[in-house]
């Protein structure tokens, strides 16, 4: 465990060390379409971002403390910042500030979502801490109030709260829920080391210098495949405008994508800003096979199977 305090272990709901603890489970996401427009004056990019929540989860536990502290456990816990740059800490601070209370909580993150992997792990922790603190402090904020704070925390954080499937417009924070007609089976190949989201957007801008980038639009065939629960049609429509930029910064991603396709995946793409690569398969057995082949190929550090859609942030 990576720790900023002497405390350890994952708390569950109920009484822990004489105080009440609240645990929230939050899913990872994959972007099945990430259409990126030109850079805006504020530095962000307009998006048509089709989010799908997947069954890899972080669990965020908050409990009363004498000061705001963060600890983290999990395979990549040493890469997670434990200071106030952590989105979970920022969520607690923002919520406390809005209500004029002290943000004196200990936040513990049990991390299973790849760190800096393009799967919204940091955003998940922000949404989780927000919901957990709201419950711990008995604030009963409306969903609209919570979503407003989420959008302030980051472009992907509102989706981490909501889960399921949604189209994100604006910088990705304005959500419209989408219908999903079945369960999709995925494999996620986790690369060594993360990629910085701003660096990948920067590379996107560099690669598109002098190009008139069209306004981003959701793909109708993709939305129809999602509604129909049809993995073959969905695989044919997967797209990520950040993929070329992620591959440019990390050329080895090409081999990971090729290895998953060679192993029988229906479709493959870089997840968000990467470097995790996502493979859509026809069923659970195919996902297990593709995961084994990816591991054997040596093109990734680890390969995880998961299904979607998954529920958004949930108090356990
Ligand atoms: O919103 P968030 O803090 O997650 O964004 C991180 C960075 O990713 C931004 O500072 C920006 O460089 C880039 N970004 C972008 N356009 C978006 C979302 C993120 O350029 N729609």
């Amino acid at each position: 465990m990576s720790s900023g305090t002497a405390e350890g272990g994952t708390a569950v709901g109920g009484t822990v060390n004489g105080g009440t603890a609240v645990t929230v489970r939050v899913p990872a996401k994959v972007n099945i379409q990430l259409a990126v427009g030109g850079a805006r004056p504020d530095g962000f990019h307009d998006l048509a971002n089709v989010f799908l929540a997947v069954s890899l989860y972080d669990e965020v536990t908050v409990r009363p403390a004498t000061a705001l502290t963060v600890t983290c456990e999990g395979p990549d816990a040493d890469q997670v910042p434990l200071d106030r740059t952590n989105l979970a800490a920022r969520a607690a601070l923002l919520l406390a500030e809005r209500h004029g209370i002290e943000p004196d909580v200990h936040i513990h993150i049990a991390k299973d979502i790849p760190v800096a992997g393009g799967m919204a792990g940091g955003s998940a922790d922000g949404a989780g801490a927000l919901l957990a603190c709201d419950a711990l402090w008995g604030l009963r904020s409306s969903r609209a109030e919570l979503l407003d704070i989420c959008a302030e925390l980051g472009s992907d954080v509102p989706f981490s709260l909501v889960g399921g499937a949604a189209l994100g417009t604006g910088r990705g924070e304005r959500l419209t829920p989408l219908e999903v007609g079945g369960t999709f089976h995925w494999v996620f190949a986790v690369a060594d080391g993360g990629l910085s989201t701003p660096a990948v957007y920067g590379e996107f801008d560099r690669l598109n210098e002098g190009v008139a980038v069209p306004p981003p639009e959701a793909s109708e065939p993709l939305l129809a495949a999602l509604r129909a629960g049809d993995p073959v049609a969905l695989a044919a429509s997967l797209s990520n405008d950040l993929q070329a930029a992620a591959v440019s910064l990390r050329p080895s991603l090409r081999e990971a994508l090729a290895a998953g396709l060679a192993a029988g995946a229906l479709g493959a793409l870089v997840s968000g800003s990467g470097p995790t690569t996502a493979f859509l398969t026809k069923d659970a057995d195919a996902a297990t096979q593709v995961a084994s082949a990816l591991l054997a190929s040596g093109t990734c550090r680890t390969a995880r199977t998961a299904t979607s859609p998954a529920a958004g942030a949930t108090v356990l």
Side-chain angles (χ1 to χ4, degrees), residues 26-94:
V26 200
K29 60 82 182 164
V30 61
N31 309 86
I32 52 178
Q33 183 191 3
L34 184 45
V36 182
R40 312 191 311 201
D42 66 0
F44 284 90
H45 297 70
D46 276 322
L47 304 179
N49 191 349
V50 183
F51 291 106
L52 191 55
V54 303
S55 62
L56 300 178
Y57 300 97
D58 280 0
E59 284 185 11
V60 182
T61 298
V62 300
R63 72 189 78 163
T66 50
L68 178 60
T69 51
V70 181
T71 55
C72 184
E73 68 176 324
D76 298 329
D78 56 332
Q79 294 164 46
V80 175
L82 301 176
D83 59 14
R84 292 181 175 209
T85 61
N86 187 303
L87 280 180
R90 287 188 45 214
L93 284 164
L94 264 181

Side-chain angles (χ1 to χ4, degrees), residues 10-16 19-26 58-64 105-110 125 127-139 313-316:
T10 306
V12 290
T15 298
V16 178
T20 304
V22 178
T23 296
V24 172
R25 189 176 83 154
V26 200
D58 280 0
E59 284 185 11
V60 182
T61 298
V62 300
R63 72 189 78 163
V105 282
H106 174 62
I107 302 172
H108 183 72
I109 302 166
D125 301 342
L130 184 67
L131 194 60
C133 286
D134 192 70
L136 183 73
W137 295 334
L139 300 174
T314 306
V315 177
L316 297 182

Side-chain angles (χ1 to χ4, degrees), residues 61-309:
T61 298
V62 300
R63 72 189 78 163
T66 50
L68 178 60
T69 51
V70 181
T71 55
C72 184
E73 68 176 324
D76 298 329
D78 56 332
Q79 294 164 46
V80 175
L82 301 176
D83 59 14
R84 292 181 175 209
T85 61
N86 187 303
L87 280 180
R90 287 188 45 214
L93 284 164
L94 264 181
L95 186 67
E97 192 185 305
R98 287 207 181 185
H99 291 270
I101 54 182
E102 291 302 319
D104 293 338
V105 282
H106 174 62
I107 302 172
H108 183 72
I109 302 166
K111 179 148 277 302
D112 196 38
I113 303 174
V115 177
M119 297 192 75
S123 299
D125 301 342
L130 184 67
L131 194 60
C133 286
D134 192 70
L136 183 73
W137 295 334
L139 300 174
R140 297 173 178 272
S141 300
S142 67
R143 189 128 270 237
E145 285 165 336
L146 292 177
L147 283 171
D148 190 48
I149 297 176
C150 285
E152 202 172 327
L153 288 168
S155 306
D156 289 348
V157 184
F159 180 72
S160 298
L161 188 73
V162 169
L167 171 64
T169 54
R171 61 186 168 86
E173 86 288 14
R174 268 188 258 138
L175 298 178
T176 309
L178 295 172
E179 199 188 317
V180 186
T183 302
F184 293 98
H185 296 268
W186 294 93
V187 181
F188 294 99
V190 182
D192 262 326
L195 271 177
S196 137
T197 302
V200 175
Y201 274 102
E203 183 67 2
F204 172 88
D205 291 338
R206 195 185 69 78
L207 294 175
N208 287 288
E209 220 171 316
V211 176
V213 178
E217 269 180 48
S219 149
E220 279 309 323
L222 177 106
L223 299 182
L226 193 63
R227 273 196 303 274
D230 179 344
V232 174
L234 190 69
S237 303
L238 296 172
S239 73
N240 179 359
D241 288 353
L242 291 182
Q243 181 157 317
V247 170
S248 166
L249 295 176
R250 189 75 67 83
S252 60
L253 294 182
R254 239 184 239 114
E255 279 111 67
L257 291 165
L261 288 171
L266 300 172
L269 83 174
V270 169
S271 181
S273 57
T276 305
T277 41
F279 302 88
L280 185 58
T281 62
K282 74 173 193 305
D283 55 26
D285 285 347
T288 306
Q289 266 176 36
V290 170
S292 306
L294 276 165
L295 264 183
S297 74
T299 58
C300 61
R301 177 160 57 90
T302 175
R304 310 279 309 272
T305 59
T307 58
S308 58

